[in-house]
Structures are given as C-alpha cells and as structure tokens.
Amino acid sequence: DIQMTQSPSSVSASVGDRVTITCRASQGISSWLAWYQQKPGKAPKILMYAASTLQSGVPSRFSGSGSGTDFTLTITSLQPEDFAIYYCQQGYTFPYTFGQGTKLEIK
Amino acid sequence: QITLKESGPTLLKPAQTLTLTCNFSGFSLTTSEVGVGWIRQPPGKALEWLATIYWDDDKRFSPSLESRLSIAKDTSKNHVVLTMTNMAPVDTATYYCAHSVYGDSSFDYWGQGTLVTVSS
C-alpha cells in the first residue's frame, strides 16, 4: 500500500495568516492526489483534485501543488470557516489511501 | 444535484454482519466511468477507504478487509450495498459512501455518514 504522511499533524494560525500543509507519498503517485476538508461531525468535503485543480465552488484562497511524492495545500488569508481537519488522498493505485490528517486550529 | 445517504444498523454485536445501503440521486451507476465508494472513520481517527464499485460492475476492495467485504449495486433502485462480515469493536466507525469518477479517483460528493457501533 502507498503510505501518505501529512505534516504537520496540527498547526495553529490566526485569521488572515497563510498556512501550508504537506503530504508525502511513500512512492510516486504522479498527480493523483486530492485534498479534503472536514469539520466536526460533518463529512469530508473535496477541495482539490489532480493535485492542483480546484473543485468548483471552493474559494481561490485554497491552492495545491506538487507531483510525484511531495504535495502541498496552501491556504492564503485564513478565514474563520477554514479551521478544520485536512486530509490528502492518493488515487494513483488501489488501495486508495489517506493521510492521517492535519488539524488547523485557531491561535 | 448529486446526493447520497447511508442507512443501516447503528449497533451490532461482535461477529455479526453489517449491511449498509447507500441511496443516491442525481447520477446513475449505468453512466460510464461513475463509481460509488465506501470510506470509514473510527471516532477521532483518519479516513480509511474500504471499497468502490463502478458502472461496469468492476469492484475494488481494501486488501486488508477484502475477505470480509462485498459490494453490489442495484441500478434500478439507485443504491449500493456494502456488506462486512464478522464485525468487531475495532470496526466501530462512521461509514460514508461517496461518488467517484473512474480516472479521477477522488470522491467529490459524500453522504452524511452513519455511525456504526460494535459492542457486546
């Protein structure tokens, strides 16, 4: 199985800050990576697919980059509604696997 | 608009079989490249992909759970059924179904999830 490792596991930031979350795959996955946001008690919501393609309706302050094994999700100008847990997921090969999550907390 | 909703038991005893149904609308599982996947999340833990079934009846399973899982679709009823045998307390989780497109491999629409607790 391809292991997905996110860093950091948690990060504290303030409204208006810029935050970057990293996801590393244990082997190359080309650009087969998605990012999700999950709020307490809710289902995950897709933010990004194909590493850098913004899902329709997602604010442009979210951006993604990377290919191969190293990927980043960047959120510029954090808004109160952005505080949540973020997961990456590889879709390069079965079994699909998720990262362990990054909790974005208010400082 | 695409919607999905999971239904099934909320409490099971160890060794019982879990049967979950995902009822969906806004798309058809007869459409080329469409799939429905199941993902679970134990309380306070990360997401785990379980299985996906595609429009052409191709089925993919998590190798660690494959011996316990089955998945089937009923295109006339617009639903997908996931079965997991020999449930144990470690299988306690929220189970989600989600829409997927073959070749994209992400999950763009999710159900609300259903919490299944396994306890004697």
Side-chain angles (χ1 to χ4, degrees):
Chain A
D1 298 4
I2 297 176
Q3 184 174 357
M4 306 301 292
T5 303
Q6 291 181 231
S7 60
S9 295
S10 65
V11 57
S12 296
S14 301
V15 172
D17 284 354
R18 172 190 174 109
V19 168
T20 297
I21 298 168
T22 296
C23 179
R24 174 165 288 175
S26 60
Q27 65 186 74
I29 60 169
S30 185
S31 295
W32 294 98
L33 187 96
W35 288 99
Y36 302 87
Q37 175 194 67
Q38 188 178 33
K39 296 182 178 179
K42 300 294 186 183
K45 169 190 171 184
I46 189 168
L47 300 174
M48 203 84 55
Y49 61 95
S52 60
T53 303
L54 197 65
Q55 178 72 5
S56 175
V58 174
S60 58
R61 62 180 180 273
F62 291 90
S63 64
S65 66
S67 67
T69 59
D70 295 315
F71 301 85
T72 59
L73 174 70
T74 299
I75 314 170
T76 57
S77 189
L78 274 170
Q79 298 300 300
E81 60 268 28
D82 299 337
F83 293 94
I85 299 176
Y86 293 84
Y87 292 95
C88 60
Q89 175 238 324
Q90 68 83 14
Y92 177 74
T93 188
F94 293 102
Y96 293 162
T97 45
F98 291 83
Q100 82 279 15
T102 294
K103 187 173 186 179
L104 176 53
E105 299 176 297
I106 301 174
K107 184 182 288 184
Chain B
Q1 127 224 23
I2 290 176
T3 64
L4 304 98
K5 187 172 183 179
E6 308 84 355
S7 61
T10 57
L11 181 64
L12 286 174
K13 295 186 185 304
Q16 288 187 321
T17 294
L18 171 67
T19 300
L20 291 172
T21 301
C22 176
N23 286 285
F24 58 84
S25 63
F27 68 95
S28 172
L29 257 178
T30 61
T31 301
S32 183
E33 302 195 346
V34 170
V36 171
W38 287 92
I39 301 101
R40 71 178 178 179
Q41 185 174 38
K45 296 188 177 180
L47 300 161
E48 179 186 17
W49 173 77
L50 302 177
T52 298
I53 187 166
Y54 292 100
W55 86 103
D56 60 355
D57 213 36
D58 184 20
K59 301 167 187 175
R60 304 291 179 134
F61 297 98
S62 170
S64 64
L65 294 167
E66 186 165 8
S67 63
R68 299 172 53 205
L69 290 174
S70 63
I71 192 170
K73 59 182 172 65
D74 186 328
T75 53
S76 65
K77 296 181 179 178
N78 275 357
H79 76 212
V80 170
V81 176
L82 180 79
T83 303
M84 182 181 294
T85 61
N86 195 25
M87 294 289 283
V90 296
D91 296 312
T92 293
T94 296
Y95 287 76
Y96 297 99
C97 63
H99 174 271
S100 179
V101 175
Y102 189 84
D104 176 352
S105 72
S106 60
F107 298 99
D108 53 358
Y109 296 90
W110 293 62
Q112 63 189 26
T114 184
L115 175 62
V116 178
T117 301
V118 184
S119 174
S120 55

